[in-house]
Amino acid sequence: MSEFADELTGLVRDLAKDAAPARDGQLPDIWPKVQELGLAGIGIAEEAGGSGGELDDLLVVIRELARAGIDTPIVEAATAAFAIGPSADGRFDTVVLSAEAGLDIVTYAPSARRAVVVGASDIAVFELAEADIDSLIDIAGRPAGRVRLGGASVTHPAISADAVSERLALARSASLIGLCWGAYDLTKRYVVDRHQFGAPLIKISAVSTNVAHMVVGIRMAESALRRAVAASSDPGATELRRFGAAASARIAAAQCATAVARTAHQLHGAVGITTEYGLHSYTRALWAQRDADESELHWCGRLGAAALDVDEDAFWDQLTA
């Protein structure tokens, strides 16, 4: 846990107090302030253009922005900055995983300066101003684009694709956990305040049990993420241990996202799908980010393939170390 967790949590919550919800297809009004404060550069050394601090600190900021219902590009921008350094012109870069030579849908492509494309074995960086982009809006209302690279300039930074993929998985997991907490907070308030048959909904056994299951799932995802962060910062950790921990964290966060979104809507009933009520801002983001980058199924497949490549006992020892 970051030693600055309380301070960072307070900072983000103060920022979020007066933040207006973003309109579909637009960046939230709070994003320029997030950039100005250098929050996307946390976890990158100051001499490299970052804001200093550790990965733990960055994940606190990502989690709390998501918990506040502020859907910013911080996961993409922070991961891209880790790969190629922060953008120096007040803009930001985005990141996309792709095993193909080209690109398709890239989140934040209309707003970003560059796209950091993480392939199976290397990294390519494209100038988006030189690409053709058809603007789109994803399920969470975030700006995205169908990208055709054409003759866009490309560079290849000397950083491991696995390192960037791992960083993205941890950042995405933190965002999903924050969104889960936000949906839980909203649901808990609703079932406490909403009365039926003369008593709060929380007094109904099935309701309180489902609320408890939400917390258990989030805590499990948090535990998996803490373990993955510890492995990523351990210079003695093997490649298999780092990968197994990151994959487990990403899978746990995706599973939690599905369960929390489902339970939150079940407990809210019809009010949960109204435009005026705030639940949809969490559940739309949960669905979008759960399937972003690499889906839960894809991560499970990668973990299974790793198990087949090594001795079963050795794999289990690394996975549970």
Side-chain angles (χ1 to χ4, degrees):
M1 175 63 71
S2 164
E3 62 178 300
F4 303 109
D6 290 342
E7 292 89 341
L8 290 168
T9 297
L11 170 64
V12 173
R13 290 181 180 177
D14 286 342
L15 283 174
K17 279 180 183 175
D18 301 317
R23 298 186 300 275
D24 281 0
Q26 302 292 320
L27 295 176
D29 293 342
I30 197 177
W31 178 240
K33 188 65 175 179
V34 172
Q35 290 181 282
E36 180 186 334
L37 291 171
L39 298 183
I42 293 176
I44 300 171
E46 293 182 31
E47 55 267 29
S51 303
E54 304 296 332
L55 174 59
D56 264 350
D57 303 319
L58 173 65
L59 299 186
V60 169
V61 172
I62 291 173
R63 182 196 69 207
E64 291 304 315
L65 281 170
R67 187 169 188 167
I70 312 292
D71 198 357
T72 71
I74 192 167
V75 169
E76 290 79 6
T79 305
F82 168 74
I84 61 174
S87 186
D89 58 0
R91 298 183 65 189
F92 69 95
D93 303 310
T94 190
V95 64
V96 59
L97 300 187
S98 175
E100 307 298 331
L103 298 182
D104 189 17
I105 306 300
V106 179
T107 307
Y108 298 115
S111 309
R113 176 187 170 193
R114 295 171 292 190
V116 178
V117 182
V118 185
S121 59
D122 67 349
I123 305 286
V125 182
F126 294 92
E127 295 288 339
L128 288 172
E130 300 173 5
D132 293 324
I133 302 173
D134 295 329
S135 295
L136 303 168
I137 299 174
D138 74 6
I139 189 175
R142 300 177 300 176
R146 191 179 302 278
V147 177
R148 295 180 297 278
L149 294 173
S153 302
V154 59
T155 57
H156 296 275
I159 185 171
S160 160
D162 287 341
V164 180
S165 176
E166 175 188 301
R167 186 84 162 205
L168 180 58
L170 300 184
R172 187 70 67 194
S173 297
S175 185
L176 285 167
I177 288 168
L179 289 165
C180 285
W181 275 124
Y184 164 80
D185 293 338
L186 206 58
T187 304
K188 178 71 178 295
R189 286 197 298 270
Y190 179 77
V191 298
V192 168
D193 294 341
R194 174 74 171 174
H195 283 61
Q196 194 167 35
F197 306 116
L201 288 176
I202 193 69
K203 295 295 185 182
I204 299 172
S205 176
V207 172
S208 59
T209 298
N210 275 292
V211 170
H213 284 166
M214 292 173 79
V215 175
V216 170
I218 298 170
R219 293 296 188 195
M220 288 178 62
E222 285 184 327
S223 178
L225 180 57
R226 282 195 299 271
R227 181 177 174 276
V229 171
S232 85
S233 60
D234 179 2
T238 65
E239 183 178 337
L240 180 58
R241 182 185 166 203
R242 290 170 62 107
F243 166 73
S248 297
R250 185 64 175 83
I251 291 166
Q255 291 176 339
C256 185
T258 299
V260 166
R262 180 191 300 123
T263 302
H265 276 291
Q266 286 174 338
L267 296 182
H268 274 90
V271 71
I273 61 172
T274 60
T275 301
E276 295 79 11
Y277 195 73
L279 182 61
H280 65 87
S281 67
Y282 289 103
T283 51
R284 291 167 68 198
L286 279 169
W287 292 324
Q289 296 202 41
R290 174 196 62 187
D291 299 327
D293 317 318
E294 292 178 305
S295 68
E296 175 190 341
L297 181 61
H298 190 87
W299 276 107
C300 288
R302 288 183 63 187
L303 200 56
L308 293 174
D309 284 342
V310 297
D311 174 77
E312 180 179 346
D313 291 338
F315 178 78
W316 184 249
D317 287 344
Q318 290 294 311
L319 196 62
T320 58

